[in-house]
Amino acid sequence: DAGVTQSPTHLIKTRGQQVTLRCSPISGHKSVSWYQQVLGQGPQFIFQYYEKEERGRGNFPDRFSARQFPNYSSELNVNALLLGDSALYLCASSRVGTVNQPQHFGDGTRLSIL
Amino acid sequence: DQQVKQNSPSLSVQEGRISILNCDYTNSMFDYFLWYKKYPAEGPTFLISISSIKDKNEDGRFTVFLNKSAKHLSLHIVPSQPGDSAVYFCAARVPLAGGTSYGKLTFGQGTILTVHP
């Protein structure tokens, strides 16, 4: 079975631009979460979605938004990019309906802001 | 406020010996704990997890121990192999609205494990 897939792999943007990152979950997984990882730190939670509804949001500004589609794939949008948004953006998917399911991660999108 | 801490940035172990990675947490609401391994240019790979109602879980060479009173989590790898060399993250979950199927993960800063042949 295919794992979590993210696109693009790498992206270079300039300050003030907008970016859209995409994620396809593992088949059968209905929940998708987004995390930001900066160098030397662990991933930080941004959003979790299930059944197209936002279930949780981390401490990120309103420039960050996301959505989930009927096929459970997801997009993360970041507006008005800042230099500090340079990071690895990770998507994770998990099953729901069963207690204590781990989140499985994709390989991420490396976003560089110039 | 760092709710999950891995106080050892790095650990070096000889092949065949035991590797012990440690993690401390502060939030009593955490109900599920996980360990992930990360190689460069890859996403974190799930290794093993433990519910807060247990104190030990084993899977092959990997064992996770949970001491709730001390708010301490550890991962034991026995025997260690050179292929285990990677960054290891512990993570803890706070359940979100909707039950224990959901939850945001809070990660530690990671420990770089190097296993020497």
Side-chain angles (χ1 to χ4, degrees):
Chain A
D1 282 346
V4 176
T5 57
Q6 293 186 242
S7 63
T9 307
H10 294 87
L11 204 49
I12 299 175
K13 292 285 188 178
T14 57
R15 282 179 297 175
Q17 284 189 311
Q18 174 265 340
V19 68
T20 299
L21 311 180
R22 295 176 176 83
C23 172
S24 293
I26 293 171
S27 177
H29 287 194
K30 298 182 178 180
S31 177
V32 169
S33 301
W34 288 94
Y35 293 81
Q36 180 196 66
Q37 186 178 20
V38 297
L39 204 60
Q41 300 292 322
Q44 274 205 298
F45 175 77
I46 310 175
F47 289 110
Q48 186 171 63
Y49 274 79
Y50 171 57
E51 291 292 0
K52 297 179 291 181
E53 286 188 24
E54 181 183 301
R55 302 288 176 164
R57 183 186 184 111
N59 189 23
F60 281 82
D62 291 343
R63 299 184 296 108
F64 289 76
S65 64
R67 55 180 175 167
Q68 187 178 33
F69 299 98
N71 66 353
Y72 305 108
S73 68
S74 178
E75 287 182 351
L76 175 70
N77 295 284
V78 187
N79 294 323
L81 288 166
L82 303 174
L83 292 177
D85 295 331
S86 295
L88 179 68
Y89 288 85
L90 294 162
C91 174
S93 73
S94 59
R95 295 183 185 278
V96 293
T98 307
V99 171
N100 293 340
Q101 291 295 310
Q103 295 182 19
H104 297 271
F105 286 82
D107 287 339
T109 294
R110 173 72 61 188
L111 176 62
S112 298
I113 311 302
L114 303 179
Chain B
D1 176 27
Q2 193 78 27
Q3 296 187 18
V4 178
K5 286 187 180 179
Q6 294 176 254
N7 291 316
S8 298
S10 63
L11 176 67
S12 183
V13 171
Q14 205 69 28
E15 180 179 7
R17 306 295 287 266
I18 185 171
S19 296
I20 300 176
L21 298 116
N22 294 302
C23 181
D24 296 300
Y25 64 95
T26 58
N27 190 341
S28 300
M29 298 298 292
F30 290 143
D31 71 338
Y32 182 50
F33 301 86
L34 309 92
W35 284 95
Y36 288 87
K37 176 171 75 172
K38 189 178 186 302
Y39 294 118
E42 293 183 11
T45 300
F46 169 70
L47 277 177
I48 191 168
S49 63
I50 187 167
S51 164
S52 59
I53 62 173
K54 295 189 174 182
D55 55 18
K56 178 181 174 181
N57 188 28
E58 287 182 82
D59 184 2
R61 297 187 298 116
F62 301 93
T63 302
V64 56
F65 295 93
L66 176 63
N67 183 333
K68 284 186 66 178
S69 60
K71 291 190 172 68
H72 181 80
L73 187 71
S74 64
L75 174 68
H76 293 209
I77 306 173
V78 184
S80 300
Q81 300 172 354
D84 295 330
S85 298
V87 181
Y88 287 77
F89 291 98
C90 67
R93 182 187 73 184
V94 171
L96 299 172
T100 53
S101 294
Y102 316 116
K104 71 172 212 178
L105 297 182
T106 300
F107 284 81
Q109 308 95 306
T111 297
I112 302 170
L113 173 66
T114 305
V115 180
H116 299 282

